[in-house]
Amino acid sequence: MNDSTIPSRTITIVDVAAEANVSKSTVSLVLKGSPLIRGDTAERVREAAAKLGYVYNRRAGELRGNASNAIGVIINDLMNPFFAELLVGIERKLVEAGYVVLMAHTNESVEIQQKVLMSMREQNAAGIMLCPVLNTPRAFLKTVQSWNIPFAVFVRNLGPGDYDFAGSDNELGVFLATTHLLDAGHRQVGFLGGHKGVVLNQRLAGYKTALKKKGVAYDPDLVIPATPNRQGGCDSMNTLLSAHADVKAAVCYNDIVAFGALSALGERGMRAGADFALIGFDNVLDSQHSNPPLTTVDIRPNELGERAADVLLNRIQNPDSARQTYLAQPQLVLRQTA
Amino acid sequence: MNDSTIPSRTITIVDVAAEANVSKSTVSLVLKGSPLIRGDTAERVREAAAKLGYVYNRRAGELRGNASNAIGVIINDLMNPFFAELLVGIERKLVEAGYVVLMAHTNESVEIQQKVLMSMREQNAAGIMLCPVLNTPRAFLKTVQSWNIPFAVFVRNLGPGDYDFAGSDNELGVFLATTHLLDAGHRQVGFLGGHKGVVLNQRLAGYKTALKKKGVAYDPDLVIPATPNRQGGCDSMNTLLSAHADVKAAVCYNDIVAFGALSALGERGMRAGADFALIGFDNVLDSQHSNPPLTTVDIRPNELGERAADVLLNRIQNPDSARQTYLAQPQLVLRQTA
DNA sequence: CTGAAAGCGCTTACAG
DNA sequence: CTGAAAGCGCTTACAG
């Protein structure tokens, strides 16, 4: 009678046990599919549970077993589709493996990063995946590691440290892109966008290596850093073009910078591919249908997410295994802009 | 000596109590900042906790208090920047309010939606925010509600139901866009993209109302449904142009469809704004710097996320308040494509 | 202002 | 194959 009307107190295994005429230990065993319990007993228990609308209280179980099925994932810029695609890959892998994801967005704030990390620790997270905020001191990673929670860093490698990492070979990627432009005959190649940090350093290194290898002098005037978003891409392209109208090629810090650059080109009545050679980095989904479709360095963001999750999962299953590093091998994908 | 070397067992309030020479009740009280404890005692406890490196075990506390600070947020398509921006808004509000977000991505799969919802229930989530997968039966929402977990639906309104909702006025938004095109003199206006479902129906209704109001006959041939992503936008624009080379204007299901359409136009050597009038929907960040910048219907995705979170938060604080509905008021933002 | 005791809902040895 | 008991780490009345 009181089936759905009265909110009633929560149903626990004790209630199920009473209903099925067994002890709560038996109920617990049945719930986790133990082979110790006889078939008909198990069946009876399951029926009782269903009848009472029993819901497993995972937190209680975890408290006792000191386990957890929640994994913290910390992203800093979801507005960048690269990270969105990455997150989707991470999330799928983690859920597949039976985990639930505690997601946090830092928006590049050190304070928020600190706060959410603490919070995940209190939650007793089974693992933490972090893309460190810009300027995170390397020592901070040590602190997190000292918590003894399986931990993996992704995308931003804070220098040679003793932690698991998944990212991409930034230097090689930009080297490929720059070389492609140089091979096409360009002697002046710009570099657009990017904020100070490891990733920019790595990408610039690839840029310089390519120049050197082709015997082209490095001209610092041609590298225009800018916030790596569309606005920054637009601005940096405008800056480049105003100062060096003769430059006809550039590689971008990432795809969204390239999209902004495409827009700046359009404003000037120029079309990438015909009037200017432009290459992005990441190969986000959008780059297939930008106007025009973008030539870019493919690091398979979605797969990178999955691999990053694998790195953590492996650490969880294998706490004492050697440090792992996964570096996505970049591949140039030629479309219309270069 | 064993400071950082031995992993050691977890420090609990009992250890802190021993260290500070008080009972564990006192420690518990101090931790939650109770005014009951004298200042110096509290200080002593805090020092002891710091010294031992005590970490609050939130799950244990929650078990006892039957509380939870995790809120489930279910998204179906993070690849669409609209949802990414929405999620960022939701997450910020929730974290600000002291919650942690359990994020799940359904990728439009009913099975996954079912699974993650169950999982969140087991986690004893303090609330659930759901953007229902396409074709979710309306009765399913009733089921979720029967769990007695504060619950809010966002973006996709599954028809008149008794639940909290946050979304946008789709009909009005598309009405505004279509009217703008009609006012510019176009008598043939296409409608591009969208998958079957409430949202498409609402947007199409706005389209038809605008036509009728201007005395323009509705031509079903001009509405080209397609998966609402860039590929779909590209395809539907091509379909439209092949069949009706005379059509010179279209409103899109959403911004990413418009981006795809922009790309299709570019391939044909046409430029939106000059050769074709195009309007998007959402006003995602990208639309400011598409090529060319997109005229679109602004529903402030980020703010919509925050408001959706507010709706849930309010339900949590006010379990018996009346049902809430938030509808973002759309505004046409004129840029270069129309 | 502080302590002893009970209990949140589960799991895990240990008996039998 | 199943049950009685202890305990995970906390909080919350209840005494004093």
Side-chain angles (χ1 to χ4, degrees), chain A residues 221-261:
Chain A
D221 270 19
L222 299 186
V223 355
I224 324 273
T227 320
N229 56 26
R230 286 172 191 78
Q231 182 69 56
C234 191
D235 293 347
S236 58
M237 177 58 97
N238 281 327
T239 306
L240 179 72
L241 257 26
S242 312
H244 306 272
D246 45 332
V247 178
K248 292 283 178 254
V251 4
C252 297
Y253 178 77
N254 65 17
D255 284 351
I256 58 175
V257 163
F259 295 147

Side-chain angles (χ1 to χ4, degrees), chain B residues 203-217:
Chain B
R203 295 189 184 171
L204 273 181
Y207 170 76
K208 292 177 191 171
T209 308
L211 292 176
K212 175 177 273 181
K213 200 156 175 182
K214 295 287 176 191
V216 175

Side-chain angles (χ1 to χ4, degrees), chain A residues 194-205:
Chain A
H195 36 204
K196 272 197 189 51
V198 262
V199 175
L200 179 59
N201 291 342
Q202 292 167 345
R203 294 187 186 174
L204 273 180

